[in-house]
Amino acid sequence: MSLRRADPPGEPGRQLSLFGTEAADPSVADLAGLLAGPGEVHRMGRTARLSVGVDAAWRVHVLVDELARRGLAAGWESTGEQRYVVRTPYLTTLAPLATAWLAGGVKRPPPRFHLHGRRLRLWLAAAGAADDAGLLLRLDRRDEPWWPVVRAALAVVGLPAALVEPEAGGPAYRIGGRRLARLAELVGDRPPAAPAGLWP
C-alpha cells in the first residue's frame, strides 16, 4: 500500500511508501536499524551510547551525517586495516533505545520489532555489501539467536531474504531479484559518498 503525492519534475508516477524514508521525519528510534545489523548499544547509568564498526571511510561520512540529522553528534576513529568505529557520546536520549534492546547486558530485538525505510537506510549504510546475486545486509555473528526475528521484520516490509551463512561470506541477509526495487523504494536516494554498486 502506498500514498500518492504530487510527482516532482522528472519523476512521473513516483509514490511515497508508507515504510519509506520519506514517510516520517528522522528520529532516534531509527537507530534500531543499526542494531539489527552490527551496531551495539551500551548503557551507563541513565545514559547510553551507540557504536558501530564499519569497513570503509564512506560509511563513516554517511553515518555521521545521518546521526546529525537525528540531533546526535557522533565521532569516529580508525581501528586499522580500513576499519573504523562510529560512536555517539553517552546520552540520556539513547537510554530508551538501550532499555528496549538490552536484556542482561545482551543485545536482542525488542518485542514487536519492525523495520522501515529509515532503519533500513542506516543498516545498509553501515553494513550493506554487494555480491553476484544482490545486496547483502550484514549481521553480527553474536546475534545468531535473533536472526530469525530480523528476517521476519524484513519479510513484513516486502523483503523476504535468504540467509548467507558465515562460511559463504556472511552472516548476512541477501536481497535479490525484483526485491531490489522494493529495497530502493524503501531506503531512498543514494548518499553522495556511497558507491553506486552498494546502493540499490
Side-chain angles (χ1 to χ4, degrees):
M1 179 179 180
S2 59
L3 299 176
R4 289 301 302 269
R5 65 175 185 177
D7 296 329
E11 297 184 78
R14 186 177 176 194
Q15 294 183 332
L16 176 62
S17 169
L18 288 175
F19 295 101
T21 58
E22 298 169 309
D25 292 331
S27 74
V28 171
D30 300 339
L31 303 186
L34 294 174
L35 297 177
E40 299 179 34
V41 64
H42 303 278
R43 178 181 285 281
M44 183 172 69
R46 296 182 179 180
T47 68
R49 177 177 75 183
L50 181 132
S51 63
V52 58
V54 300
D55 62 3
W58 72 264
R59 299 187 193 274
V60 174
H61 294 294
V62 173
L63 291 175
V64 168
D65 179 66
E66 290 283 354
L67 290 168
R69 294 181 65 208
R70 292 158 175 83
L72 302 171
W76 63 275
E77 64 179 292
S78 172
T79 58
E81 298 182 358
Q82 294 297 305
R83 298 287 306 182
Y84 309 87
V85 174
V86 177
R87 64 168 59 96
T88 69
Y90 281 98
L91 301 166
T92 56
T93 52
L94 293 177
L97 192 72
T99 298
W101 278 83
L102 294 178
V106 178
K107 186 182 80 170
R108 53 93 181 101
R112 296 178 296 280
F113 169 69
H114 65 281
L115 290 165
H116 49 58
R118 299 181 313 281
R119 294 181 177 189
L120 285 163
R121 183 178 179 86
L122 290 173
W123 187 3
L124 183 62
D131 70 3
D132 292 339
L135 285 175
L136 305 178
L137 294 170
R138 296 199 179 280
L139 300 158
D140 190 323
R141 289 173 182 256
R142 296 168 293 182
D143 299 338
E144 184 173 1
W146 309 108
W147 293 346
V149 176
V150 176
R151 187 178 194 173
L154 285 167
V156 167
V157 294
L159 296 173
L163 177 64
V164 180
E165 299 286 354
E167 58 270 19
Y173 281 125
R174 179 187 289 119
I175 310 296
R178 59 191 177 89
R179 303 299 180 187
L180 287 173
R182 173 61 174 161
L183 181 61
E185 174 190 9
L186 290 169
V187 301
D189 295 337
R190 177 175 62 90
L198 293 181
W199 206 264

